Amino acid sequence: AIPTLWGIDEDFDGLFSVDDYTKIGAGSTAAGLIEWGSLYYQDLDGVNQIIGKHIESFAIDSDFVAYFVRNRDVKLGGAQSVVLKAPVMLKLDLRTVSSTGPIVATVVGSIPIPGFDYTLTPADNVTGLSFDPGTGRLHALYMKSDGTVADILYLVSKEDASIIAELGEMRNDALGEIVGHGEEMEYDHVGNLFVSDNNGDQLYKVDPETAKITEVVDNN
């Protein structure tokens, strides 16, 4: 069977799915594509607030719950006017998604990355999330605003977005390689972790325990 592909549009805050990606041919985006609409979260008064732009990363756990990050503050609002500092992780049970009502995600919490600053140009971002298929652990890719320094790999809790461990910078000094503008990362089904870097259109294999680049898989 062909699995359903899920994703989010970071420019228009929309959730989408592709029920059969073999239908997507050259120059075609409509076949097999379902656009579910904008994403919301509930404030402290129970009012649905649109999440808006600046959402990045997308990973689905074994329970079919999707996790993603908004790289801007999230105002929970209400009488208490609580503001969660960026980056903020949210989750959405894909089994509850319906075309008849608003798609409401749950705010998990802020990922407390030291020195995170989205006001810089270019901004700091969490640009990748991926679940280890063997352990279920959730990894996060932190892209610093300065693309000349190495991005950092974190292990984070899907329960409250806390940092379990800072695993290290994505680099290999012997190879003279760094991930300086990591845009996404993904595990394969046997536990290899791959990271794409927009700086040189390169694909790297990374050790998920140390964050060290172990192989240049595709150079440019």
Side-chain angles (χ1 to χ4, degrees), residues 69 84-89 108-117 126 140 142 154-157 160-166:
V69 172
L84 294 181
K85 294 297 183 181
V88 178
M89 189 163 72
V108 178
S110 296
I111 305 175
I113 296 176
F116 187 92
D117 189 349
V126 172
Y142 166 41
Y154 284 97
L155 193 63
V156 300
S157 168
D160 60 8
S162 61
I163 293 175
I164 298 172
E166 180 181 324

Side-chain angles (χ1 to χ4, degrees), residues 16-183:
F16 67 88
S17 64
V18 178
D19 61 7
D20 184 348
Y21 55 78
T22 65
K23 297 177 183 177
I24 305 295
S28 171
T29 57
L33 176 68
I34 301 173
E35 296 181 286
W36 296 93
S38 296
L39 292 161
Y40 297 81
Y41 70 93
Q42 281 195 347
D43 65 18
L44 295 176
D45 290 330
V47 178
N48 291 338
Q49 303 289 344
I50 196 164
I51 293 173
K53 296 182 180 181
H54 309 296
I55 54 178
E56 288 263 7
S57 321
F58 195 78
I60 303 173
D61 70 6
S62 58
D63 294 322
F64 211 46
V65 177
Y67 292 77
F68 58 96
V69 172
R70 185 175 196 269
N71 288 294
R72 294 293 186 275
D73 295 347
V74 170
K75 186 175 181 180
L76 293 183
Q80 301 178 61
S81 191
V82 175
V83 176
L84 294 181
K85 294 297 183 181
V88 178
M89 189 163 72
L90 302 97
K91 66 179 181 180
L92 175 67
D93 189 336
L94 295 176
R95 295 166 296 188
T96 66
V97 171
S98 170
S99 59
T100 60
I103 304 170
V104 183
T106 300
V107 176
V108 178
S110 296
I111 305 175
I113 296 176
F116 187 92
D117 189 349
Y118 65 78
T119 66
L120 300 173
T121 304
D124 287 355
N125 282 284
V126 172
T127 58
L129 292 174
S130 190
F131 283 99
D132 184 328
T135 65
R137 299 187 306 174
L138 178 60
H139 287 81
L141 167 61
Y142 166 41
M143 185 193 74
K144 297 182 181 181
S145 60
D146 184 352
T148 65
V149 297
D151 299 345
I152 299 175
L153 184 64
Y154 284 97
L155 193 63
V156 300
S157 168
K158 71 175 187 178
E159 304 300 330
D160 60 8
S162 61
I163 293 175
I164 298 172
E166 180 181 324
L167 299 172
E169 294 186 338
M170 295 184 180
R171 63 186 311 125
N172 186 317
D173 294 335
L175 294 175
E177 298 283 350
I178 68 168
V179 177
H181 195 155
E183 185 59 27

